[in-house]
Amino acid sequence: MRLRDHLLAGQVIPAHPLALTAQRALDERRQRALTRYYVAAGAGGIAVGVHTTQFEIRDPRHALHRPVLALAAESATEALGAASERSFVRVAGVVGRTRQAVSEAEVARDLGYHAALLSLSAWREADTETLLTHCRAVADVIPLFGFYLQPAVGGRVLSYEFWRRFAEIPEVVAIKIAPFNRYQTLDVVRAVAASGRRDIALYTGNDDAIITDLLTPFPVAPADGAPRRIVGGLLGQWAVWTKRAVEMLRDIRAAEAAPVAGASPAGATPDGWLRRAAMLTEANGAIFDARNNFAGCIAGIHEVLRRQGLLAGTWCLDPAQDLSPGQSAEIDRVLAAWPELTDDEFVRENLDEWMR
């Protein structure tokens, strides 16, 4: 696989959840089923060991970091088939201070992962130079997938200057833009454009603005060339309804190429896309528990997958992480209002095979 070409082509990359039993032990059967689902749905890769996988997998009490990464890599390879020529990127979440991050990057590299989604949450007060030194140390081990994580779930504000210099690291292959903030999203796009690099793929992680990000030709300074596009997504939202996400990204790319701006072979108009963008954001608000500052975001993903039969429950490694009061009813509401967002029929038809 040509990693840069694959990422620049634009992919659906689900942030892989963690399947647990009622005893909060790894449910290997369902964990494999999830990976098989993402492959069958047409995803261009998976991200494992990220926020949606639960950072607690690194806790020595659970000791699940390497086993979960290994299981996902093995299951993806099996699902793709030994003779498959299909490109499929494996991205590993990497966290912590430099010693921990380099160690996690080495584990990921040794397990066949292609890039590290590098969280900077452990560096809340660090200056730009310290951050970049850390990033370069990890880049010496594995290609980097930069990550602007929203502060509400552990991220920090990162300056335009940081992103401008981050884009100069040769091993950077992509950036996940997920501050849930339009000003900060524009900072990243502008910084990459100013760097002159067109081999860095921009991916949305803004679960509240997925379609808007994918449709927008981001204007840049005249000296920085043509508008830049966010070409794909690495998203917790795409851990559910993945088949629909793949179809949606395909249709958006067709809309870009259509003779009439905003039209697609399916007849979607600009108003149609904006309507769908609002629908998806509203659904994400219920699943991610936006009204409670995202407290139930992981459990909300689990609840959708539970209803489809892919997970047995909403359990998290931390017992305090669960659905918020009223969140299940909110999920009921958006499912009733926007059933076209779901891929329930696809899952129902294939679940037995994935659960084998």
Side-chain angles (χ1 to χ4, degrees):
M1 179 184 69
R2 296 173 63 88
L3 178 60
R4 288 190 188 275
D5 290 347
H6 182 62
L7 292 172
L8 286 166
Q11 306 299 331
V12 167
I13 304 178
H16 204 306
L18 181 68
L20 297 176
T21 67
Q23 292 73 40
R24 292 185 166 81
L26 178 63
D27 187 335
E28 291 195 15
R29 178 169 170 253
R30 291 183 182 275
Q31 190 74 9
R32 289 184 182 276
L34 282 174
T35 307
R36 291 167 180 153
Y37 162 50
Y38 299 133
V39 173
I46 48 175
V48 189
V50 295
H51 177 250
T52 304
T53 322
Q54 302 177 45
F55 291 136
E56 290 84 357
I57 62 173
R58 297 164 173 84
D59 190 318
R61 291 175 300 169
H62 306 300
L64 286 174
H65 178 249
R66 186 183 185 103
V68 167
L69 264 66
L71 187 62
E74 176 188 319
S75 300
T77 299
E78 174 266 337
L80 289 163
S84 174
E85 296 183 359
R86 173 179 162 187
S87 294
F88 191 85
V89 64
R90 293 186 289 272
V91 180
V94 167
V95 306
R97 294 278 181 157
T98 303
R99 183 174 180 179
Q100 176 183 347
V102 167
S103 175
E104 290 190 7
E106 290 171 343
V107 169
R109 178 199 61 198
D110 294 347
L111 290 172
Y113 283 74
H114 303 101
L117 184 70
L118 183 59
S119 170
L120 299 175
S121 298
W123 300 90
R124 289 185 177 275
E125 306 301 326
D127 60 23
T128 294
E129 198 58 54
T130 301
L131 291 174
L132 291 167
T133 298
H134 171 71
C135 294
R136 293 187 193 106
V138 178
D140 286 341
V141 178
I142 192 170
L144 292 187
F145 208 122
F147 188 14
Y148 201 157
L149 175 64
Q150 64 159 321
V153 291
R156 54 160 289 175
V157 174
L158 295 163
S159 67
Y160 167 86
E161 174 63 19
F162 166 78
W163 290 112
R164 175 65 182 80
R165 294 180 63 189
F166 181 83
E168 296 174 355
I169 299 173
E171 296 83 5
V172 173
V173 293
I175 299 173
K176 170 180 174 173
I177 308 171
F180 283 44
N181 180 296
R182 304 317 289 165
Y183 303 109
Q184 293 162 357
T185 294
L186 290 168
D187 278 345
V188 181
V189 177
R190 187 165 62 93
V192 174
S195 76
R197 289 190 59 180
R198 290 196 167 270
D199 62 342
I200 295 177
L202 299 179
Y203 274 63
T204 182
N206 290 319
D207 301 79
D208 64 340
I210 298 169
I211 292 176
T212 304
D213 276 354
L214 292 170
L215 285 172
T216 302
F218 289 89
V220 298
D224 296 332
R228 295 297 180 103
R229 286 194 176 272
I230 291 176
V231 298
L234 193 165
L235 293 154
Q237 176 62 46
W238 283 355
V240 304
W241 309 335
T242 311
K243 179 70 169 173
R244 290 289 177 263
V246 170
E247 294 167 354
M248 182 188 73
L249 182 58
R250 178 201 64 203
D251 288 347
I252 287 173
R253 293 296 163 252
E256 291 172 7
V260 179
S264 78
T269 63
D271 282 354
W273 279 118
L274 291 173
R275 177 178 178 274
R276 189 169 179 182
M279 289 163 49
L280 185 57
T281 298
E282 187 172 4
N284 176 261
I287 296 168
F288 271 42
D289 195 27
R291 65 173 56 187
N292 293 296
N293 205 29
F294 307 100
C297 61
I298 293 176
I301 292 169
H302 290 183
E303 174 63 8
V304 174
L305 295 170
R306 184 197 66 79
R307 294 181 187 207
Q308 291 184 312
L310 282 158
L311 292 185
T314 62
W315 308 294
C316 295
L317 290 172
D318 179 358
Q321 291 189 25
D322 203 350
L323 293 171
S324 293
Q327 188 179 358
S328 182
E330 272 294 282
I331 294 173
D332 288 340
R333 181 182 64 80
V334 298
L335 286 172
W338 320 122
E340 60 266 45
L341 294 176
T342 75
D343 62 357
D344 292 355
E345 183 177 353
F346 171 70
V347 173
R348 190 163 48 248
E349 291 173 350
N350 294 280
L351 185 59
D352 288 346
E353 171 64 18
W354 300 332
M355 293 287 286
R356 68 185 187 278

